[in-house]
Amino acid sequence: MSSEARGTAAFLLVSTGERRVGIPVEYLVAVAEVGETHPVPSPEPALRGVAQLRGRTMPVVHLGALLAGAACPPEAASTGVIVRLGATQLCLEVDAADVVVREPVLALASGAGMAWARGVVRRPDGLVPLLDFGALAARLTEIGVAT
């Protein structure tokens, strides 16, 4: 990993499975409890379904499964992070939403294997990747979850 700083970023620190990631606050709408989720047919295994959140029906995508390219775990988490991707709002299912922090962003090492990350931040418990919402939006648009 490079230690070259690339400015600072404010982000929401979340946990999903064994992974901690940062969600840039410029995409953040709210943190909410995910209620009943209704399955829908999709080629994306990380799409849990749709749910009614904050008066809107929106897709619920398990963030850990999306980043791993895997299916949702059988048990749904109760925490959702609602984000805005262009005109679309969607819920990222996470295990926990911890705290909003501002930290210097470090560049990813080439070949880091995290095409979904725009950089990392150093936290007391290690490096935390920051989600690249451009890459995430492209992937979700490709499968029809975002427009």
Side-chain angles (χ1 to χ4, degrees), residues 28-75:
L28 183 62
V29 174
V31 175
E33 184 174 327
V34 180
E36 185 178 3
T37 303
H38 305 280
V40 293
S42 173
E44 175 54 57
L47 179 65
R48 172 102 41 212
V50 296
Q52 188 73 229
L53 295 157
R54 296 176 52 108
R56 301 178 78 163
T57 300
M58 63 183 71
V60 177
V61 177
H62 188 277
L63 181 58
L66 181 67
L67 299 180
C72 296
E75 289 294 318

Side-chain angles (χ1 to χ4, degrees), residues 21-124:
V21 297
I23 297 177
V25 296
E26 59 265 28
Y27 298 97
L28 183 62
V29 174
V31 175
E33 184 174 327
V34 180
E36 185 178 3
T37 303
H38 305 280
V40 293
S42 173
E44 175 54 57
L47 179 65
R48 172 102 41 212
V50 296
Q52 188 73 229
L53 295 157
R54 296 176 52 108
R56 301 178 78 163
T57 300
M58 63 183 71
V60 177
V61 177
H62 188 277
L63 181 58
L66 181 67
L67 299 180
C72 296
E75 289 294 318
S78 63
T79 303
V81 177
I82 301 171
V83 295
R84 183 180 314 279
L85 295 175
T88 302
Q89 285 189 17
L90 65 100
C91 178
L92 298 174
E93 179 187 329
V94 298
D95 295 327
D98 299 321
V99 64
V100 173
V101 296
R102 179 177 291 279
E103 300 282 346
V105 179
L106 306 174
L108 285 171
S110 32
M114 291 188 283
W116 47 265
R118 72 175 204 199
V120 296
V121 294
R122 189 173 311 279
R123 298 289 299 155

